[in-house]
Amino acid sequence: MSSEIALKVAQAVDENRLWQRLMTMARHGATPKGGVNRQALSAEDRAARAELTAWATKLGFAVAQDDAANLYVRRAGTEAEAPPVVTGSHLDSQPTGGKFDGAYGVLAGFEVLEALERAGIKTKRPIEVVAWTNEEGSRFQPGAMGSAIYAGKYRLPDHLNSVDRDGVALGPELAATLKALDVPRRPIGGAVTAYVEAHIEQGPILESQQLQIGAVTLVQGSRRYTIEVTGEEAHAGTTPLKLRKDAMKAAAAIVLALEQAFDDPTDTVRYTVGRFDVFPGSANTVPGRVFFTIDFRHPDRATLTTLTDKIEGIAKANARGCEVKVTRISDVSPTPFDPAVIGLVRASAAALNMPSMEMISGAGHDAMHIAHLCPTGMVFVPCARGISHNEVESATPADLAAGARVLAATLVELANR
Ligand SMILES: [Zn+2]
């Protein structure tokens, strides 16, 4: 149950102020279709970081960044040296992203700090808002990079040579991003009391249940693969079918065979082929090479492993005389969140008269890495038709404010323990 002070802060959260800040932030990388293209470490991302820093400085909060360009806004606690309670998300977007994915978690956290400041409420522990670097992984692989480095799962030097589609390396872009902001540098990592991240759901469940608040219990696990099928280029008019090594038809057979193998009446399995490149890409040449990706997700570790372990065998069985190379490029276990934090999110919602539900997250988030450091949870709010990673992504000011209020009550409770 939330304390009186937590409820007071929740009530001090200003729906209009939060909405205005979201709309201002959405100008950085705004697209003609109403979305956002603010990819990691781009000029637009730098502008967004500068905007957040200016807001924070104006309110007297301390701002710092680490070598991975994770950006921290801190409101001091009465116990200055106590490890902070941390919230946040990311400011980078997909190339055709929306206004709320990521930015909402950062600005909801910032709204909590501002509400505390304006209401003159002190907390025992500091509260920190973090904008984690490169969550989306659309420009530089892998995603959730800043939070994974913070949590010690990745090492920054291993990713400096990651290149974007234009061949631009991460290292110099990171250096330019750090240089663009005149704030103190702090070490990567450090003790955290607890972490709570607010995010739009990016799925249709809350909307269909007509609920404003989801308390996330688990982020489902994922494994990602690249598959390269190598056949032999040949003339489309002269080469008899039985003499061909057609990489395209083999790849198509593999994709469909996997779809059959992963058939799931409960609709829990998530199997996606999101990229499919055919070479040489000429209408009258039998394709000699195909490159494609598999993104596979499941909430249960054992099922995730059992099913994805079949990929290589199925691919080879459908190779049609071609060579097949299967490479696993990432492997993230399902991440359960802390029962006490989940309970606190639900209790905060209940104390604010907001019905809530527990739910799993189908998407990955920075919270899945920070969960390895400290008790962690997430607050979901609805987005229209569950659509995200899309320029039409939308959410209502009232739902966004509701999530910020639950976040406020939860953070203050954690910060006063
Ligand atoms: Zn996100």
Side-chain angles (χ1 to χ4, degrees), residues 294-342:
I294 292 175
D295 178 293
F296 188 95
R297 307 192 198 206
H298 201 279
D300 174 58
R301 175 83 213 168
T303 311
L304 180 75
T305 308
T306 317
L307 290 181
T308 52
D309 282 353
K310 292 182 181 174
I311 290 176
E312 184 147 14
I314 291 171
K316 296 214 155 130
N318 289 277
R320 300 182 171 208
C322 299
E323 270 179 47
V324 178
K325 190 176 166 214
V326 177
T327 310
R328 189 161 79 208
I329 56 168
S330 77
D331 181 10
V332 180
S333 292
T335 310
F337 287 147
D338 184 80
V341 177
I342 298 163

Side-chain angles (χ1 to χ4, degrees), residues 89-90 92 100-103 135-136 197 199 202 364-366 389:
S89 195
H90 56 97
D92 68 314
F100 305 100
D101 175 3
E135 194 276 344
E136 294 292 357
E197 177 169 347
H199 208 283
Q202 305 182 284
H365 295 288
D366 292 304
H389 284 196

Side-chain angles (χ1 to χ4, degrees), residues 261-291:
F262 297 153
D263 180 51
D264 171 16
T266 69
D267 194 20
T268 310
V269 165
R270 297 284 177 265
Y271 159 63
T272 305
V273 176
R275 181 171 168 189
F276 200 94
D277 300 333
V278 183
F279 303 96
S282 167
N284 58 357
T285 297
V286 175
R289 189 167 77 88
V290 168
F291 172 92

Side-chain angles (χ1 to χ4, degrees), residues 46-63:
R46 281 171 214 156
R49 292 160 179 271
E51 185 89 73
L52 180 67
T53 302
W55 289 338
T57 309
K58 211 170 170 188
L59 284 162
F61 302 136
V63 183

